[in-house]
Amino acid sequence: VQLQASGGGLVQAGGSLRLSCAASGRLFNSYSMGWFRQAPEKGREFVAVINWNGGSTVYADSVKGRFTISRDNDKNTVYLQMNSLSPEDTAVYYCAGSETWSTYPTRYAYWGQGTQVTVSS
């Protein structure tokens, strides 16, 4: 599975962005998909995960109620809708695929290249 993330950019605090992650490969529909982020000089942080059919999701406490993860298996794409953005959300955002359900980045075998999200105050 190859993953291509897009949709990042510069936005003012309180604004919104929608990230997309397009996947190639016929196994996408069987994988859990996650979003992670990494701010400068910080480790990779879990943001959200969705199971293979979109029926289950989990969010980090820091984004709960503001971010929504979804997927369209017909389009082999997973999304991250981000609302009420704050400067603390500034990071490179990565999508990732896993055969197992997990919030730990080490459980994800497939990674996209990352897309930069910058939130100005």
Side-chain angles (χ1 to χ4, degrees):
V1 175
Q2 292 185 326
L3 304 175
Q4 179 75 33
S6 62
L10 174 64
V11 63
Q12 289 188 333
S16 298
L17 283 174
R18 188 176 82 154
L19 305 183
S20 298
C21 177
S24 62
R26 58 186 176 88
L27 297 180
F28 169 80
N29 291 358
S30 64
Y31 285 178
S32 292
M33 296 297 297
W35 285 97
F36 296 81
R37 65 187 182 185
Q38 188 164 12
E41 300 182 359
K42 292 189 176 181
R44 195 160 293 190
E45 174 190 23
F46 166 74
V47 175
V49 61
I50 188 167
N51 76 329
W52 68 276
N53 67 356
S56 295
T57 57
V58 173
Y59 297 91
D61 287 344
S62 59
V63 307
K64 202 172 295 183
R66 300 187 299 122
F67 291 11
T68 302
I69 188 171
S70 61
R71 67 190 297 162
D72 185 337
N73 285 348
D74 290 335
K75 295 182 178 179
N76 275 18
T77 303
V78 63
Y79 304 97
L80 185 68
Q81 178 67 43
M82 305 186 295
N83 299 328
S84 301
L85 285 162
S86 72
E88 289 70 33
D89 295 314
T90 295
V92 177
Y93 283 71
Y94 298 89
C95 61
S98 175
E99 295 180 7
T100 61
W101 173 260
S102 178
T103 63
Y104 293 95
T106 54
R107 295 295 185 95
Y108 287 74
Y110 306 99
W111 290 85
Q113 85 288 2
T115 184
Q116 176 71 47
V117 172
T118 303
V119 185
S120 63
S121 57

PDB file of all heavy atoms in Angstrom, residues 41-65:
ATOM      1  N   GLU A  41      10.833  19.163  17.015  1.00  0.00           N
ATOM      2  CA  GLU A  41      11.496  18.721  18.241  1.00  0.00           C
ATOM      3  C   GLU A  41      10.581  17.909  19.155  1.00  0.00           C
ATOM      4  O   GLU A  41      10.843  17.798  20.363  1.00  0.00           O
ATOM      5  CB  GLU A  41      12.070  19.926  18.996  1.00  0.00           C
ATOM      6  CG  GLU A  41      13.094  20.716  18.173  1.00  0.00           C
ATOM      7  CD  GLU A  41      13.694  21.872  18.933  1.00  0.00           C
ATOM      8  OE1 GLU A  41      13.302  22.077  20.102  1.00  0.00           O
ATOM      9  OE2 GLU A  41      14.553  22.564  18.367  1.00  0.00           O
ATOM     10  N   LYS A  42       9.543  17.331  18.594  1.00  0.00           N
ATOM     11  CA  LYS A  42       8.653  16.472  19.367  1.00  0.00           C
ATOM     12  C   LYS A  42       8.513  15.129  18.665  1.00  0.00           C
ATOM     13  O   LYS A  42       8.784  15.006  17.461  1.00  0.00           O
ATOM     14  CB  LYS A  42       7.278  17.130  19.548  1.00  0.00           C
ATOM     15  CG  LYS A  42       7.295  18.357  20.441  1.00  0.00           C
ATOM     16  CD  LYS A  42       5.883  18.816  20.738  1.00  0.00           C
ATOM     17  CE  LYS A  42       5.879  19.992  21.703  1.00  0.00           C
ATOM     18  NZ  LYS A  42       4.498  20.449  22.016  1.00  0.00           N
ATOM     19  N   GLY A  43       8.067  14.149  19.415  1.00  0.00           N
ATOM     20  CA  GLY A  43       7.847  12.832  18.845  1.00  0.00           C
ATOM     21  C   GLY A  43       6.571  12.772  18.043  1.00  0.00           C
ATOM     22  O   GLY A  43       5.755  13.697  18.058  1.00  0.00           O
ATOM     23  N   ARG A  44       6.398  11.666  17.330  1.00  0.00           N
ATOM     24  CA  ARG A  44       5.189  11.483  16.534  1.00  0.00           C
ATOM     25  C   ARG A  44       4.017  11.186  17.467  1.00  0.00           C
ATOM     26  O   ARG A  44       4.080  10.287  18.297  1.00  0.00           O
ATOM     27  CB  ARG A  44       5.403  10.369  15.519  1.00  0.00           C
ATOM     28  CG  ARG A  44       4.372  10.350  14.422  1.00  0.00           C
ATOM     29  CD  ARG A  44       4.876   9.591  13.211  1.00  0.00           C
ATOM     30  NE  ARG A  44       5.987  10.294  12.566  1.00  0.00           N
ATOM     31  CZ  ARG A  44       6.475   9.947  11.379  1.00  0.00           C
ATOM     32  NH1 ARG A  44       5.964   8.926  10.715  1.00  0.00           N
ATOM     33  NH2 ARG A  44       7.480  10.608  10.858  1.00  0.00           N
ATOM     34  N   GLU A  45       2.946  11.921  17.278  1.00  0.00           N
ATOM     35  CA  GLU A  45       1.804  11.884  18.182  1.00  0.00           C
ATOM     36  C   GLU A  45       0.572  11.338  17.479  1.00  0.00           C
ATOM     37  O   GLU A  45       0.258  11.756  16.348  1.00  0.00           O
ATOM     38  CB  GLU A  45       1.524  13.313  18.690  1.00  0.00           C
ATOM     39  CG  GLU A  45       0.276  13.480  19.525  1.00  0.00           C
ATOM     40  CD  GLU A  45      -0.070  14.939  19.782  1.00  0.00           C
ATOM     41  OE1 GLU A  45       0.368  15.802  18.991  1.00  0.00           O
ATOM     42  OE2 GLU A  45      -0.791  15.210  20.763  1.00  0.00           O
ATOM     43  N   PHE A  46      -0.129  10.446  18.139  1.00  0.00           N
ATOM     44  CA  PHE A  46      -1.381   9.915  17.616  1.00  0.00           C
ATOM     45  C   PHE A  46      -2.435  11.011  17.561  1.00  0.00           C
ATOM     46  O   PHE A  46      -2.572  11.807  18.497  1.00  0.00           O
ATOM     47  CB  PHE A  46      -1.868   8.776  18.501  1.00  0.00           C
ATOM     48  CG  PHE A  46      -3.292   8.373  18.258  1.00  0.00           C
ATOM     49  CD1 PHE A  46      -3.636   7.662  17.128  1.00  0.00           C
ATOM     50  CD2 PHE A  46      -4.279   8.736  19.154  1.00  0.00           C
ATOM     51  CE1 PHE A  46      -4.962   7.296  16.894  1.00  0.00           C
ATOM     52  CE2 PHE A  46      -5.595   8.380  18.946  1.00  0.00           C
ATOM     53  CZ  PHE A  46      -5.939   7.664  17.814  1.00  0.00           C
ATOM     54  N   VAL A  47      -3.195  11.033  16.461  1.00  0.00           N
ATOM     55  CA  VAL A  47      -4.284  11.992  16.313  1.00  0.00           C
ATOM     56  C   VAL A  47      -5.639  11.273  16.257  1.00  0.00           C
ATOM     57  O   VAL A  47      -6.538  11.567  17.036  1.00  0.00           O
ATOM     58  CB  VAL A  47      -4.100  12.842  15.046  1.00  0.00           C
ATOM     59  CG1 VAL A  47      -5.308  13.751  14.826  1.00  0.00           C
ATOM     60  CG2 VAL A  47      -2.818  13.674  15.132  1.00  0.00           C
ATOM     61  N   ALA A  48      -5.773  10.328  15.327  1.00  0.00           N
ATOM     62  CA  ALA A  48      -7.055   9.640  15.157  1.00  0.00           C
ATOM     63  C   ALA A  48      -6.840   8.344  14.377  1.00  0.00           C
ATOM     64  O   ALA A  48      -5.872   8.220  13.627  1.00  0.00           O
ATOM     65  CB  ALA A  48      -8.060  10.524  14.419  1.00  0.00           C
ATOM     66  N   VAL A  49      -7.757   7.413  14.573  1.00  0.00           N
ATOM     67  CA  VAL A  49      -7.712   6.154  13.845  1.00  0.00           C
ATOM     68  C   VAL A  49      -9.137   5.752  13.482  1.00  0.00           C
ATOM     69  O   VAL A  49     -10.081   6.043  14.226  1.00  0.00           O
ATOM     70  CB  VAL A  49      -7.005   5.047  14.649  1.00  0.00           C
ATOM     71  CG1 VAL A  49      -7.714   4.767  15.955  1.00  0.00           C
ATOM     72  CG2 VAL A  49      -6.873   3.760  13.830  1.00  0.00           C
ATOM     73  N   ILE A  50      -9.265   5.093  12.338  1.00  0.00           N
ATOM     74  CA  ILE A  50     -10.566   4.595  11.887  1.00  0.00           C
ATOM     75  C   ILE A  50     -10.378   3.151  11.442  1.00  0.00           C
ATOM     76  O   ILE A  50      -9.364   2.803  10.825  1.00  0.00           O
ATOM     77  CB  ILE A  50     -11.116   5.485  10.751  1.00  0.00           C
ATOM     78  CG1 ILE A  50     -12.548   5.119  10.399  1.00  0.00           C
ATOM     79  CG2 ILE A  50     -10.220   5.445   9.516  1.00  0.00           C
ATOM     80  CD1 ILE A  50     -13.243   6.163   9.524  1.00  0.00           C
ATOM     81  N   ASN A  51     -11.369   2.311  11.733  1.00  0.00           N
ATOM     82  CA  ASN A  51     -11.211   0.905  11.371  1.00  0.00           C
ATOM     83  C   ASN A  51     -11.538   0.691   9.898  1.00  0.00           C
ATOM     84  O   ASN A  51     -11.882   1.641   9.169  1.00  0.00           O
ATOM     85  CB  ASN A  51     -12.054   0.002  12.279  1.00  0.00           C
ATOM     86  CG  ASN A  51     -13.529   0.050  11.928  1.00  0.00           C
ATOM     87  OD1 ASN A  51     -14.029   1.067  11.468  1.00  0.00           O
ATOM     88  ND2 ASN A  51     -14.205  -1.072  12.127  1.00  0.00           N
ATOM     89  N   TRP A  52     -11.490  -0.544   9.455  1.00  0.00           N
ATOM     90  CA  TRP A  52     -11.527  -0.843   8.022  1.00  0.00           C
ATOM     91  C   TRP A  52     -12.812  -0.384   7.353  1.00  0.00           C
ATOM     92  O   TRP A  52     -12.798   0.027   6.184  1.00  0.00           O
ATOM     93  CB  TRP A  52     -11.316  -2.343   7.790  1.00  0.00           C
ATOM     94  CG  TRP A  52     -12.452  -3.185   8.274  1.00  0.00           C
ATOM     95  CD1 TRP A  52     -12.659  -3.647   9.534  1.00  0.00           C
ATOM     96  CD2 TRP A  52     -13.552  -3.659   7.488  1.00  0.00           C
ATOM     97  NE1 TRP A  52     -13.822  -4.381   9.588  1.00  0.00           N
ATOM     98  CE2 TRP A  52     -14.396  -4.399   8.349  1.00  0.00           C
ATOM     99  CE3 TRP A  52     -13.907  -3.535   6.142  1.00  0.00           C
ATOM    100  CZ2 TRP A  52     -15.565  -5.005   7.897  1.00  0.00           C
ATOM    101  CZ3 TRP A  52     -15.074  -4.138   5.696  1.00  0.00           C
ATOM    102  CH2 TRP A  52     -15.884  -4.865   6.573  1.00  0.00           C
ATOM    103  N   ASN A  53     -13.929  -0.432   8.044  1.00  0.00           N
ATOM    104  CA  ASN A  53     -15.194  -0.071   7.403  1.00  0.00           C
ATOM    105  C   ASN A  53     -15.755   1.254   7.890  1.00  0.00           C
ATOM    106  O   ASN A  53     -16.882   1.618   7.550  1.00  0.00           O
ATOM    107  CB  ASN A  53     -16.232  -1.168   7.606  1.00  0.00           C
ATOM    108  CG  ASN A  53     -16.653  -1.315   9.059  1.00  0.00           C
ATOM    109  OD1 ASN A  53     -16.127  -0.651   9.948  1.00  0.00           O
ATOM    110  ND2 ASN A  53     -17.618  -2.196   9.303  1.00  0.00           N
ATOM    111  N   GLY A  54     -14.976   1.978   8.687  1.00  0.00           N
ATOM    112  CA  GLY A  54     -15.427   3.271   9.165  1.00  0.00           C
ATOM    113  C   GLY A  54     -16.359   3.208  10.352  1.00  0.00           C
ATOM    114  O   GLY A  54     -16.860   4.229  10.807  1.00  0.00           O
ATOM    115  N   GLY A  55     -16.581   2.021  10.884  1.00  0.00           N
ATOM    116  CA  GLY A  55     -17.525   1.863  11.963  1.00  0.00           C
ATOM    117  C   GLY A  55     -17.005   2.240  13.334  1.00  0.00           C
ATOM    118  O   GLY A  55     -17.785   2.443  14.265  1.00  0.00           O
ATOM    119  N   SER A  56     -15.698   2.326  13.472  1.00  0.00           N
ATOM    120  CA  SER A  56     -15.096   2.662  14.765  1.00  0.00           C
ATOM    121  C   SER A  56     -14.008   3.702  14.576  1.00  0.00           C
ATOM    122  O   SER A  56     -13.213   3.616  13.636  1.00  0.00           O
ATOM    123  CB  SER A  56     -14.480   1.424  15.411  1.00  0.00           C
ATOM    124  OG  SER A  56     -15.462   0.471  15.735  1.00  0.00           O
ATOM    125  N   THR A  57     -14.006   4.664  15.483  1.00  0.00           N
ATOM    126  CA  THR A  57     -12.979   5.707  15.462  1.00  0.00           C
ATOM    127  C   THR A  57     -12.513   5.982  16.888  1.00  0.00           C
ATOM    128  O   THR A  57     -13.263   5.788  17.862  1.00  0.00           O
ATOM    129  CB  THR A  57     -13.514   7.016  14.866  1.00  0.00           C
ATOM    130  OG1 THR A  57     -14.653   7.451  15.612  1.00  0.00           O
ATOM    131  CG2 THR A  57     -13.910   6.843  13.401  1.00  0.00           C
ATOM    132  N   VAL A  58     -11.289   6.440  16.992  1.00  0.00           N
ATOM    133  CA  VAL A  58     -10.726   6.871  18.269  1.00  0.00           C
ATOM    134  C   VAL A  58      -9.935   8.148  18.004  1.00  0.00           C
ATOM    135  O   VAL A  58      -9.264   8.269  16.974  1.00  0.00           O
ATOM    136  CB  VAL A  58      -9.813   5.801  18.899  1.00  0.00           C
ATOM    137  CG1 VAL A  58      -9.107   6.351  20.130  1.00  0.00           C
ATOM    138  CG2 VAL A  58     -10.622   4.568  19.275  1.00  0.00           C
ATOM    139  N   TYR A  59     -10.014   9.079  18.963  1.00  0.00           N
ATOM    140  CA  TYR A  59      -9.321  10.357  18.826  1.00  0.00           C
ATOM    141  C   TYR A  59      -8.438  10.621  20.037  1.00  0.00           C
ATOM    142  O   TYR A  59      -8.767  10.228  21.160  1.00  0.00           O
ATOM    143  CB  TYR A  59     -10.330  11.503  18.698  1.00  0.00           C
ATOM    144  CG  TYR A  59     -11.194  11.421  17.474  1.00  0.00           C
ATOM    145  CD1 TYR A  59     -12.416  10.768  17.505  1.00  0.00           C
ATOM    146  CD2 TYR A  59     -10.782  11.993  16.270  1.00  0.00           C
ATOM    147  CE1 TYR A  59     -13.211  10.683  16.371  1.00  0.00           C
ATOM    148  CE2 TYR A  59     -11.573  11.918  15.127  1.00  0.00           C
ATOM    149  CZ  TYR A  59     -12.788  11.252  15.196  1.00  0.00           C
ATOM    150  OH  TYR A  59     -13.569  11.168  14.074  1.00  0.00           O
ATOM    151  N   ALA A  60      -7.371  11.336  19.800  1.00  0.00           N
ATOM    152  CA  ALA A  60      -6.585  11.855  20.910  1.00  0.00           C
ATOM    153  C   ALA A  60      -7.421  12.889  21.655  1.00  0.00           C
ATOM    154  O   ALA A  60      -8.233  13.604  21.053  1.00  0.00           O
ATOM    155  CB  ALA A  60      -5.300  12.496  20.384  1.00  0.00           C
ATOM    156  N   ASP A  61      -7.216  12.975  22.950  1.00  0.00           N
ATOM    157  CA  ASP A  61      -7.993  13.927  23.752  1.00  0.00           C
ATOM    158  C   ASP A  61      -7.808  15.358  23.252  1.00  0.00           C
ATOM    159  O   ASP A  61      -8.738  16.168  23.319  1.00  0.00           O
ATOM    160  CB  ASP A  61      -7.577  13.843  25.212  1.00  0.00           C
ATOM    161  CG  ASP A  61      -8.079  12.570  25.880  1.00  0.00           C
ATOM    162  OD1 ASP A  61      -8.984  11.915  25.330  1.00  0.00           O
ATOM    163  OD2 ASP A  61      -7.538  12.231  26.954  1.00  0.00           O
ATOM    164  N   SER A  62      -6.633  15.649  22.747  1.00  0.00           N
ATOM    165  CA  SER A  62      -6.326  17.014  22.325  1.00  0.00           C
ATOM    166  C   SER A  62      -7.119  17.459  21.097  1.00  0.00           C
ATOM    167  O   SER A  62      -7.211  18.661  20.830  1.00  0.00           O
ATOM    168  CB  SER A  62      -4.828  17.152  22.044  1.00  0.00           C
ATOM    169  OG  SER A  62      -4.428  16.232  21.034  1.00  0.00           O
ATOM    170  N   VAL A  63      -7.674  16.509  20.343  1.00  0.00           N
ATOM    171  CA  VAL A  63      -8.404  16.876  19.129  1.00  0.00           C
ATOM    172  C   VAL A  63      -9.870  16.469  19.184  1.00  0.00           C
ATOM    173  O   VAL A  63     -10.636  16.814  18.278  1.00  0.00           O
ATOM    174  CB  VAL A  63      -7.745  16.262  17.874  1.00  0.00           C
ATOM    175  CG1 VAL A  63      -6.264  16.611  17.824  1.00  0.00           C
ATOM    176  CG2 VAL A  63      -7.947  14.750  17.810  1.00  0.00           C
ATOM    177  N   LYS A  64     -10.250  15.772  20.216  1.00  0.00           N
ATOM    178  CA  LYS A  64     -11.621  15.266  20.322  1.00  0.00           C
ATOM    179  C   LYS A  64     -12.616  16.422  20.278  1.00  0.00           C
ATOM    180  O   LYS A  64     -12.452  17.435  20.967  1.00  0.00           O
ATOM    181  CB  LYS A  64     -11.769  14.480  21.624  1.00  0.00           C
ATOM    182  CG  LYS A  64     -12.916  13.490  21.637  1.00  0.00           C
ATOM    183  CD  LYS A  64     -12.843  12.629  22.895  1.00  0.00           C
ATOM    184  CE  LYS A  64     -11.623  11.755  22.924  1.00  0.00           C
ATOM    185  NZ  LYS A  64     -11.581  10.870  24.099  1.00  0.00           N
ATOM    186  N   GLY A  65     -13.637  16.263  19.450  1.00  0.00           N
ATOM    187  CA  GLY A  65     -14.640  17.304  19.302  1.00  0.00           C
ATOM    188  C   GLY A  65     -14.299  18.353  18.261  1.00  0.00           C
ATOM    189  O   GLY A  65     -15.155  19.155  17.887  1.00  0.00           O
TER     190      GLY A  65
END
